[in-house]
Amino acid sequence: MRQEPFFPNKKVSYFFHRSKDEHMENGLTSVTLFAKLAREITFYKAGKKRTHVETLWFQIDDLKAEQLTKELSDLPNCLQRYELSENVFYHLLQLSKSCPNELYWITPYYLQAKRKMFLPWQELEQTWRKNHVNATGR
């Protein structure tokens, strides 16, 4: 049986986060993959809204450009956040124990989803150089 912290008047929400970010370091392109399963417990204490976040599983992998498959290259560079039902959440938690890498590819049955796109590293570098030149005058 799962044990959750006791908070009176609480609301528990379940989330799956995943991201892919392409970046360049020392002239080499690499990709960072990230996946996380977390639950958020929202409650009121002393009249103030509080949120307690518990991460139950996460995984981070860094891959070099030559290790990328076509499918991985085609994934968007972004952070995706899925709000899940409790049942779907715990099914994904079970899957994370037996085949964690599969969670990079799964789009779960979700209640709500949000996506935040990352800027390509080339665009970030150009912006940084432009701002650096403006700040230093060189």
Side-chain angles (χ1 to χ4, degrees), residues 17-21 75-82 113-120 124:
H17 300 84
R18 96 173 147 210
S19 71
K20 173 194 166 206
D21 188 22
L75 285 176
N77 289 333
C78 66
L79 172 63
Q80 297 169 315
R81 181 179 190 242
Y82 300 95
K114 294 181 182 178
R115 177 185 281 190
K116 181 177 181 181
M117 299 301 291
F118 295 140
L119 291 175
L124 285 172

Side-chain angles (χ1 to χ4, degrees), residues 94-111:
Q94 284 299 104
L95 183 62
S96 73
K97 294 173 185 174
S98 58
C99 12
N101 290 339
E102 295 302 316
L103 290 173
Y104 293 133
W105 310 103
I106 289 176
T107 300
Y109 183 73
Y110 58 88
L111 304 171

Side-chain angles (χ1 to χ4, degrees), residues 1-7 10 12 14 39 41 52 54-56 86 89-90 93:
M1 185 172 141
R2 296 184 284 271
Q3 292 213 0
E4 295 187 20
F6 174 75
F7 296 106
K10 69 179 180 181
V12 181
Y14 300 91
R39 66 179 167 208
I41 302 163
H52 173 75
E54 295 180 318
T55 298
L56 284 102
E86 182 178 10
F89 178 84
Y90 283 106
L93 190 58

